[in-house]
Amino acid sequence: MPHKPPTQEELEKRKIVGINLETVTDVSSSDFPGHYPGEDHAWDIERFKQGFSVEFHQNDPHEASFSLIGIHASIANAFRRIMIADVPTLAIETVFININTSVIQDEVLAHRLGLIPFTGGREGLTEFIKWFKKPAEGEEPNLKDFNTVELALNVKCEHNENADPNETDPTKLYHHAHVYAKDIVFRPIGRQVDHFSGENTIRPVNPDILIAKLRPGQEINLTMHMHKGVGSDHAKFSPVATASYRLMPTITITEPILGRDAEKFQKCFPKGVIGLEKVTAKEAAQKGSGYEGHEGELKAVVVDPKSDTVSREALRHEEFKDKVKLGRRRDHFIFLVESTGQWKSDAIFVESVAHLKMKAKSLEKQLVNMVR
């Protein structure tokens, strides 16, 4: 007997992970060769192009939200991991402490400085600054203008002679009672002046990051070297504060939910997910719709499933158990990328695509060399 081709409804159903009151069903993908008799699920580039799309929901310099639709979880997770660990940034790597009489230990101070995110001219950071090769034991470091950025911090706390005798606020009693990221000074070397000057100068993303608190007589005097690195070496090099994704929620109302039940149903979800609309005369006149005799009453409709947190609250109420189905679409990934400031949030994703392509080419080259 010839295999009957699946309907569009059946194909969409295969993409849904079922969310029940206490269980999750259909968690594994089934669109692979041999699973469905008579169906060809071999990967095809043209089929992928037709089914894949990218939709941006928010695109700000420090935060972006977008959807990748029509890809496998392994690829989505590869993008996430690359954004966290493989996209390079510039961060403080070495701290030369001349004077530190603050209450913060040298190593803790160096660690705090390393975690401060910096920004600067885009072209200079990505094109001009190259990788720094750490010297072998006994060798002098090869410090150049294209692989090292120098910063300095020189702050001394002193009494404010103009302060009110009754003043108790340390920031008014003393000069430099608080040491902030804005106190760090960039010292350009060689050609760095051409790439990092004016609005492109290397500077902290947030100038008000607190580094230390001083009191009269205490002083911090140090020099720092910045190098390019990746998050897989140290978290300070990660270009993102967070890069995460979640599956697109699905909410299917299988039977009409009307009146007060509709209002109660709306409260089971985050604001904006479920809307209330009046039953139209056309709907009330349609036989079998479930709206017969309810013209003008409020009905529950799905407005924005993307904003749902899938709390399953609706399934905890007996009156809704058989009227709604919850799920997540396994090939629709909603990403949230928060940049630390050195890269624009959308550029981090674009760079992750380039890195994955480079990794794939490297693997291809190794496979070719293996079979020779």
Side-chain angles (χ1 to χ4, degrees):
M1 183 176 178
H3 177 73
K4 184 179 179 181
T7 63
Q8 187 61 34
E9 183 180 355
E10 174 62 24
L11 291 174
E12 289 298 318
K13 186 178 178 181
R14 292 176 184 176
K15 298 177 181 179
I16 303 300
V17 177
I19 306 294
N20 307 311
L21 180 60
E22 295 181 351
T23 60
V24 179
T25 58
D26 303 317
V27 294
S28 300
S29 299
S30 58
D31 54 345
F32 51 85
H35 188 83
Y36 296 101
E39 296 183 23
D40 179 21
H41 286 283
W43 193 84
D44 179 74
I45 183 65
E46 294 302 324
R47 187 186 302 161
F48 173 77
K49 288 180 179 179
Q50 293 175 3
F52 177 71
S53 62
V54 180
E55 296 179 3
F56 268 82
H57 313 299
Q58 176 188 356
N59 191 8
D60 298 326
H62 289 139
E63 185 172 316
S65 176
F66 56 90
S67 288
L68 299 185
I69 306 169
I71 64 170
H72 193 267
S74 59
I75 305 300
N77 195 47
F79 286 137
R80 182 190 68 84
R81 291 174 64 104
I82 291 172
M83 285 189 281
I84 292 173
D86 285 346
V87 176
T89 65
L90 199 66
I92 295 171
E93 177 70 0
T94 309
V95 180
F96 303 92
I97 298 178
N98 301 316
I99 301 173
N100 175 26
T101 53
S102 71
V103 297
I104 301 179
Q105 299 95 329
D106 290 356
E107 58 273 24
V108 176
L109 178 60
H111 185 262
R112 288 177 66 84
L113 291 168
L115 293 175
I116 297 174
F118 284 78
T119 187
R122 179 86 254 122
E123 184 272 337
L125 290 172
T126 57
E127 303 297 331
F128 176 70
I129 298 295
K130 308 299 182 183
W131 294 92
F132 173 77
K133 184 178 180 181
K134 291 185 177 180
E137 187 175 351
E139 290 184 354
E140 288 293 322
N142 184 29
L143 302 177
K144 302 292 184 180
D145 60 354
F146 58 82
N147 65 17
T148 303
V149 172
E150 185 174 304
L151 305 172
L153 178 61
N154 188 359
V155 179
K156 185 176 182 180
C157 183
E158 298 175 334
H159 283 281
N160 180 8
E161 296 178 356
N162 298 321
D164 189 302
N166 298 319
E167 184 61 64
T168 58
D169 185 354
T171 60
K172 296 178 180 179
L173 273 173
Y174 318 120
H175 295 298
H176 301 298
H178 292 175
V179 182
Y180 294 101
K182 61 187 174 185
D183 295 316
I184 297 175
V185 179
F186 166 52
R187 292 178 175 174
I189 306 170
R191 294 168 293 169
Q192 291 179 2
V193 176
D194 301 329
H195 300 276
F196 305 114
S197 59
E199 62 180 12
N200 291 326
T201 188
I202 291 181
R203 62 199 183 278
V205 173
N206 185 348
D208 296 324
I209 294 175
L210 182 65
I211 299 174
K213 292 183 179 181
L214 304 179
R215 290 300 177 263
Q218 294 181 339
E219 181 181 0
I220 293 177
N221 186 323
L222 51 83
T223 303
M224 297 158 278
H225 285 174
M226 302 180 75
H227 299 305
K228 184 178 284 190
V230 291
S232 56
D233 286 336
H234 195 287
K236 65 185 177 184
F237 291 115
S238 181
V240 296
T242 182
S244 61
Y245 64 76
R246 59 191 176 93
L247 295 178
M248 177 70 170
T250 61
I251 305 169
T252 305
I253 298 176
T254 56
E255 295 182 23
I257 302 176
L258 303 167
R260 290 187 176 180
D261 280 352
E263 295 177 4
K264 182 179 179 180
F265 184 73
Q266 184 186 44
K267 293 178 181 178
C268 293
F269 296 85
K271 187 177 181 180
V273 174
I274 301 296
L276 300 176
E277 296 179 0
K278 289 185 178 181
V279 177
T280 63
K282 183 178 180 181
E283 290 172 329
Q286 186 177 353
K287 291 184 179 180
S289 65
Y291 296 120
E292 299 98 321
H294 296 285
E295 181 182 349
E297 290 188 34
L298 292 176
K299 65 173 181 178
V301 294
V302 180
V303 176
D304 182 20
K306 180 174 71 69
S307 299
D308 186 27
T309 57
V310 195
S311 66
R312 314 186 200 191
E313 177 63 26
L315 301 180
R316 295 185 175 95
H317 300 273
E318 289 294 332
E319 59 266 46
F320 302 138
K321 273 188 176 181
D322 299 324
K323 294 184 178 182
V324 62
K325 288 185 178 180
L326 303 180
R328 288 186 183 271
R329 185 173 167 178
R330 65 164 53 86
D331 68 342
H332 186 151
F333 300 86
I334 304 171
F335 275 79
L336 176 64
V337 178
E338 295 181 18
S339 170
T340 57
Q342 196 166 126
W343 288 77
K344 289 185 177 180
S345 52
D346 58 343
I348 297 174
F349 170 64
V350 175
E351 186 70 12
S352 72
V353 175
H355 273 258
L356 184 59
K357 184 177 180 180
M358 182 175 62
K359 289 175 182 288
K361 285 186 175 181
S362 176
L363 177 61
E364 181 186 32
K365 184 178 179 179
Q366 293 178 43
L367 290 173
V368 171
N369 291 336
M370 284 176 59
V371 298
R372 281 179 178 174

